[in-house]
Amino acid sequence: MTRSPSRSAIELEVGDRVVRLTNPDRVYFPARGETKLDLARYYLAVSDGIVRALRDRPCMLHRFPTGVTGEKVHQKRLPKGAPDWVRTVRVHFPRWNRHADELCVQHPADVVWAVQMSTVEFHPWNSRCTDTEKPDEWRIDIDPMPEASYTDVRRVAHVAHEVLGELGATGWPKTSGGKGMHIYVRIAPDHGFGDVRRAAHAFAREVGRRCDLVDLTWWRKDRDPASIFVDYNQNARDHTIRSAYSVRGVPEAVVSTPIRWDEVDDADPRDFTIATVPPRYAELGDLHAGIDDAVFLIDELLEWADRDARDGADEPPTEDVQNLDG
C-alpha cells in the first residue's frame, strides 16, 4: 500500500514497516522512463526472492543518486540515516586493519530502504554474518570475452551443468544482467575463501578440458577474444556480483534473473527487466527457492585441485582486492 501526502515523498508499507521514499517520480531508467518508485515496486514484487538471495550476507550497494546515467557510488559501509531496524555485519579488511559495517538484509523493508538511498544493484558476499570467513555459496561466473556470443555462453553453461551433475552438485542458473551467466551452488561453510576459490579453479579447468571455448589465461588481455572465461575469482574474499533479482544499473533496467535449465537455450537476458520479471515471478515463484536444501561438499573438487597440482598445473596469483571504497 502507498500513502502519498505529496509527490516529493511517499510512504510505502512494507509488511509491518513503513519506508519513506523521496523523489519517487525521478526517472532512474530512461529507456522506458521507469522511476525510483517503479524500482521500489519491482523489489516489492520479488521480495521473497531478493531477501532469500541477500539474507544474512554482507552486501555492497551500487547507488545511483540521480539515476543510472549519473554518478555511480560503490558503497560498502551502510549509508547514514538508517532506521534502527536495519541490521549490519562488520567485516574486517586485514590489509589496512580496518573494518566496514555493511548492510545485512533480513526483511523486504531493508531492500526498499536501500532503494530510498538510491541503491539499484545489490552485491552480496558469498558468506554469511555467522562466519564471514567461511563461504556457503560457490559462484560459477561464465564470462564471455568481447567476440564471444551468448550462444557460446550457453554452450559452456551446459558443460558446467554436466560436470556438476557428475559431482552430484545442484547448480542454480541465472542471467548475469549483462552478457554472461551465473550458476550458484550452495556449499557447506567448512572452508575458507582460499579453498573455495581453489575448488572453483579445479572445476573451471575440468570444464575447459571438455569445451574448447574456455580460456583460463590469467590476464584478460592475453585471452582469446572469442573465448569464455569461467571466472573462479568470483569466489575470492570480498569479490561480489549481482544477486539473483538484482537490477542492473543500465537504462533498460535489466534484472539478474533465475532461469530453469530447460530455459538456457531460449532465454534472452535482455527480456528480463523490472517490467517483465514481476509477472514471471508471480507465475513461477522463486526458481532458487530450494537452494538452501541442496548443500554440496567441495572435498572432491579440492582433491581435483591437488591432482592438478601434482600434474604440474599452475596456480593463479592470489588477488588482494580488499578495497574500502564507499
Side-chain angles (χ1 to χ4, degrees):
M1 176 180 177
T2 302
R3 300 199 299 265
S4 180
S6 74
R7 292 307 294 188
S8 63
I10 62 173
E11 290 184 338
L12 296 176
E13 294 184 359
V14 185
D16 57 349
R17 296 171 185 170
V18 174
V19 180
R20 187 171 185 268
L21 197 74
T22 59
N23 301 307
D25 299 324
R26 175 173 288 161
V27 173
Y28 266 41
F29 305 99
R32 289 183 303 274
E34 288 145 329
T35 65
K36 185 178 183 180
L37 178 57
D38 292 325
L39 178 63
R41 285 175 170 162
Y42 160 75
Y43 279 121
L44 286 172
V46 299
S47 60
D48 288 349
I50 187 67
V51 170
R52 181 175 290 109
L54 300 176
R55 188 185 301 279
D56 296 333
R57 302 186 185 280
C59 187
M60 176 188 277
L61 309 176
H62 288 197
R63 300 172 54 226
F64 296 80
T66 60
V68 299
T69 57
E71 178 190 11
K72 180 179 182 179
V73 179
H74 292 216
Q75 186 98 30
K76 289 180 182 289
R77 296 182 174 86
L78 188 76
K80 294 180 180 178
D84 58 10
W85 38 260
V86 173
R87 286 187 55 190
T88 61
V89 55
R90 177 162 292 191
V91 290
H92 183 244
F93 298 91
R95 182 177 179 183
W96 296 278
N97 193 28
R98 295 168 63 190
H99 66 266
D101 294 319
E102 299 195 16
L103 175 66
C104 188
V105 166
Q106 307 294 308
H107 188 285
D110 302 339
V111 177
V112 177
W113 176 81
V115 171
Q116 157 56 17
M117 301 307 293
S118 70
T119 300
V120 173
E121 300 186 11
F122 293 86
H123 289 238
W125 284 41
N126 60 338
S127 60
R128 300 194 195 239
C129 60
T130 49
D131 189 344
T132 58
E133 300 307 312
K134 296 290 181 65
D136 75 334
E137 193 162 80
W138 162 29
R139 296 169 177 176
I140 303 164
D141 181 5
I142 302 174
D143 182 15
M145 296 300 102
E147 296 177 18
S149 69
Y150 197 68
T151 297
D152 297 330
V153 169
R154 290 169 168 141
R155 180 178 158 196
V156 173
H158 284 305
V159 176
H161 189 205
E162 174 186 274
V163 178
L164 288 171
E166 293 173 9
L167 284 165
T170 302
W172 304 82
K174 68 183 182 72
T175 63
S176 69
K179 297 180 179 179
M181 191 180 300
H182 300 154
I183 305 167
Y184 284 3
V185 180
R186 183 65 76 244
I187 60 175
D190 297 335
H191 297 273
F193 288 99
D195 279 347
V196 174
R197 179 174 179 257
R198 191 164 175 260
H201 190 203
F203 177 85
R205 279 194 293 250
E206 181 60 27
V207 173
R209 291 184 187 102
R210 303 186 188 198
C211 184
D212 59 7
L213 283 170
V214 174
D215 186 343
L216 298 182
T217 303
W218 175 251
W219 296 110
R220 185 180 181 90
K221 64 181 178 61
D222 295 331
R223 292 178 205 141
D224 180 343
S227 70
I228 303 291
F229 184 52
V230 180
D231 191 356
Y232 49 88
N233 290 310
Q234 298 297 357
N235 298 280
R237 189 181 193 274
D238 195 31
H239 268 224
T240 61
I241 52 180
R242 286 177 216 97
S243 73
Y245 301 106
S246 174
V247 181
R248 186 181 177 206
V250 294
E252 297 77 16
V254 292
V255 173
S256 181
T257 305
I259 57 176
R260 300 186 307 262
W261 280 109
D262 64 5
E263 293 182 291
V264 166
D265 287 335
D266 297 317
D268 187 329
R270 296 169 296 184
D271 291 339
F272 300 117
T273 71
I274 65 171
T276 62
V277 170
R280 171 184 168 87
Y281 190 92
E283 178 184 356
L284 300 177
D286 179 10
L287 293 181
H288 285 190
I291 191 169
D292 290 324
D293 300 322
V295 179
F296 173 68
L297 303 179
I298 66 170
D299 302 74
E300 184 172 354
L301 286 173
L302 291 174
E303 291 173 3
W304 288 10
D306 291 339
R307 174 204 64 197
D308 292 345
R310 289 193 299 270
D311 292 344
D314 292 332
E315 288 292 320
T318 299
E319 287 194 317
D320 190 349
V321 293
Q322 299 163 14
N323 70 75
L324 277 176
D325 295 342

